Amino acid sequence: MRQFTPPLLFAKCQRVCRCRWNHFLKTTYQFIKRHPAVQRFCFDYTRHFYTALRYRMTFGEWMSFRHPSSFHEKLFWLSVNYRHPLIMQCADKYRVRKYIEQCGCGDILNELYGAYDRVEDIPFEQLPSRFVIKSNRGSGDNFFCLDKPTLDYQQMMQTLSQWKEHIYGVDTAEYQYAKMPFKLVCEKYLLENPTDEMMEYQFFCFNGVPASILVRSIVSASSTYLPVSTYFSISSGLALIAFRSACLLAFLIRDISTFSLRYF
């Protein structure tokens, strides 16, 4: 029979306790995720604990609220502690348009058909054959109409109504989304050729300077979402985009980001 020395016994007890502790945390997190009322309670009253638990489940370690050092730690810290009004405005896909105009870049905005509080308020008979409806506070809440005469209105109405019921930002402890009034934003469909693919470019700015870019393939005529993402530095990334357009985007983003520094 194997005999355990005190150090080996202590190490074994540590491993058992660690496994049980990790299982308890995972079970607690899954319970919170399954119950919207519990999520709301955690968001309103235990935001630091819930954010720390989310970080632990995502990265396998606890974050530091006193001395956040990594990029992700700082993002999680900001989601709990930062409450500047401009954050909510820029997160709102409708209200951010006014901010872009204040920056002097209103000419780059997509054509807006209207913004509505309810699905019933949308004048579908006045919309063109192709249009896009999106939630001002969601992620991935986009409805693409490619041919209005063949549109299934019942399915569309059901989809748009579900967006309002789901309060985005509670499960991720993001204050700017959870406290945002809901609106449906109707805009022009950008693709002229149905076979074209729409690309999304996200610039990450630090102190007003674009430092990196995320290029994401978002939507095509045959699919609603293509989860293909590539991170690369802005110097090498510009070679993958039309150079002139990319440079223009970079300068515009720099101006918009620098403009926001006046508020902080």
Side-chain angles (χ1 to χ4, degrees):
M1 184 176 178
R2 184 179 178 183
Q3 294 183 353
F4 290 96
T5 60
L8 289 176
L9 184 61
F10 179 73
K12 183 176 179 64
C13 291
Q14 272 189 323
R15 287 195 297 269
V16 172
C17 292
R18 190 179 299 114
C19 290
R20 292 185 176 180
W21 174 242
N22 291 335
H23 177 71
F24 169 76
L25 292 177
K26 184 178 180 179
T27 304
T28 302
Y29 185 67
Q30 291 175 345
F31 175 80
I32 295 174
K33 297 287 285 185
R34 286 196 303 265
H35 297 81
V38 180
Q39 275 187 358
R40 189 74 197 190
F41 176 85
C42 292
F43 177 80
D44 290 332
Y45 301 104
T46 62
R47 195 173 301 133
H48 284 79
F49 164 75
Y50 182 51
T51 301
L53 183 59
R54 283 186 59 244
Y55 190 92
R56 175 70 167 76
M57 292 295 101
T58 304
F59 300 103
E61 61 183 9
W62 293 105
M63 67 170 292
S64 172
F65 279 102
R66 289 188 175 183
H67 305 288
S69 56
S70 68
F71 178 65
H72 287 102
E73 274 188 316
K74 292 179 179 180
L75 288 180
F76 275 67
W77 185 94
L78 288 171
S79 70
V80 174
N81 297 286
Y82 202 61
R83 293 292 179 269
H84 198 282
L86 188 60
I87 299 296
M88 183 178 293
Q89 180 180 359
C90 289
D92 191 319
K93 296 180 180 65
Y94 174 64
R95 292 175 58 213
V96 70
R97 298 176 64 92
K98 183 178 180 180
Y99 171 72
I100 298 298
E101 292 173 352
Q102 290 176 345
C103 296
C105 302
D107 56 315
I108 69 172
L109 294 171
N110 188 18
E111 183 179 351
L112 177 69
Y113 296 143
Y116 312 95
D117 297 328
R118 303 183 307 160
V119 183
E120 295 78 10
D121 297 336
I122 303 177
F124 290 103
E125 66 282 354
Q126 301 177 14
L127 296 178
S129 180
R130 295 181 181 180
F131 58 88
V132 178
I133 299 178
K134 60 185 179 182
S135 166
N136 68 320
R137 66 183 184 189
S139 176
D141 293 344
N142 305 303
F143 188 90
F144 299 90
C145 175
L146 305 183
D147 186 19
K148 191 168 67 170
T150 61
L151 179 63
D152 187 342
Y153 282 90
Q154 183 176 0
Q155 180 185 4
M156 180 192 64
M157 299 288 279
Q158 182 180 1
T159 301
L160 300 184
S161 299
Q162 290 175 352
W163 293 352
K164 188 173 184 178
E165 296 174 2
H166 177 244
I167 303 179
Y168 182 77
V170 174
D171 54 341
T172 56
E174 294 178 280
Y175 177 88
Q176 66 273 20
Y177 294 110
K179 300 296 183 180
M180 188 183 300
F182 177 78
K183 275 190 178 297
L184 291 168
V185 183
C186 189
E187 294 180 337
K188 177 183 177 181
Y189 185 76
L190 292 175
L191 296 183
E192 297 181 0
N193 191 339
T195 60
D196 289 343
E197 186 178 15
M198 184 177 293
M199 304 297 294
E200 176 186 16
Y201 305 100
Q202 296 184 10
F203 288 83
F204 294 82
C205 301
F206 297 86
N207 297 320
V209 179
S212 62
I213 180 175
L214 163 65
V215 177
R216 174 178 295 155
S217 178
I218 295 231
V219 66
S220 65
S222 58
S223 59
T224 56
Y225 183 74
L226 303 173
V228 181
S229 304
T230 306
Y231 284 93
F232 46 87
S233 66
I234 205 166
S235 56
S236 62
L238 293 179
L240 302 180
I241 320 172
F243 183 76
R244 184 177 180 181
S245 299
C247 288
L248 177 61
L249 276 175
F251 281 116
L252 288 173
I253 296 299
R254 183 191 63 183
D255 294 341
I256 293 172
S257 180
T258 304
F259 187 86
S260 68
L261 295 178
R262 305 176 188 177
Y263 294 90
F264 299 103

